[in-house]
């Protein structure tokens, strides 16, 4: 049986899942940068990004583009799953 939910319910669940995912990715990116003992300005310049945007990404406060994600993965020499996780964005449930 398929249950239907109001659009506002889905919107709220999506926003919560997205915020949680952005926070996890930001934490991972911050840990990668700190493990390399590099500062925000250095990494931002290397991937052609403003330092304040990279700071927001690391704080989970910026919904960034795929090209930024790919640039960061290339810079840190990691695969996308290392940052995003294996399908974690899709593991949220409707209440």
């Amino acid at each position: 049986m398929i249950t239907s939910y109001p659009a506002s319910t889905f919107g709220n669940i999506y926003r919560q899942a997205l915020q949680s995912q952005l926070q996890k990715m930001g934490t991972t990116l911050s840990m990668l940068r700190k493990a390399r003992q590099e500062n925000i300005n250095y990494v931002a310049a290397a991937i052609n990004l403003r330092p304040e945007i990279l700071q927001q990404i690391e704080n989970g406060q910026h919904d960034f583009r795929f090209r930024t994600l790919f640039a960061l993965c290339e810079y840190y020499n990691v695969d996308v799953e290392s940052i995003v996780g294996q399908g974690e964005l899709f593991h949220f449930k409707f209440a």
Side-chain angles (χ1 to χ4, degrees), residues 5-91:
Y5 294 93
S8 62
T9 300
F10 177 76
N12 288 335
I13 292 169
Y14 171 77
R15 278 189 292 283
Q16 290 172 359
L18 179 61
Q19 183 57 45
S20 175
Q21 186 66 28
L22 289 172
Q23 190 68 48
K24 289 177 188 175
M25 292 188 305
T27 298
T28 301
L29 290 165
S30 178
M31 288 183 347
L32 285 168
R33 179 179 58 77
K34 290 174 181 175
R36 293 168 60 136
Q37 299 179 349
E38 296 174 341
N39 68 44
I40 287 272
N41 294 328
Y42 183 84
V43 175
I47 62 166
N48 198 27
L49 193 68
R50 292 192 336 252
E52 58 271 16
I53 298 297
L54 182 55
Q55 184 69 51
Q56 289 174 0
I57 290 170
E58 288 188 2
N59 290 332
Q61 300 170 341
H62 188 78
D63 186 5
F64 54 100
R65 297 178 176 167
F66 280 115
R67 72 175 164 204
T68 303
L69 174 62
F70 296 147
L72 286 162
C73 288
E74 182 178 0
Y75 179 80
Y76 291 123
N77 195 29
V78 297
D79 59 25
V80 172
E81 287 181 343
S82 303
I83 306 300
V84 176
Q86 295 185 346
E88 288 183 26
L89 185 57
F90 302 106
H91 288 153

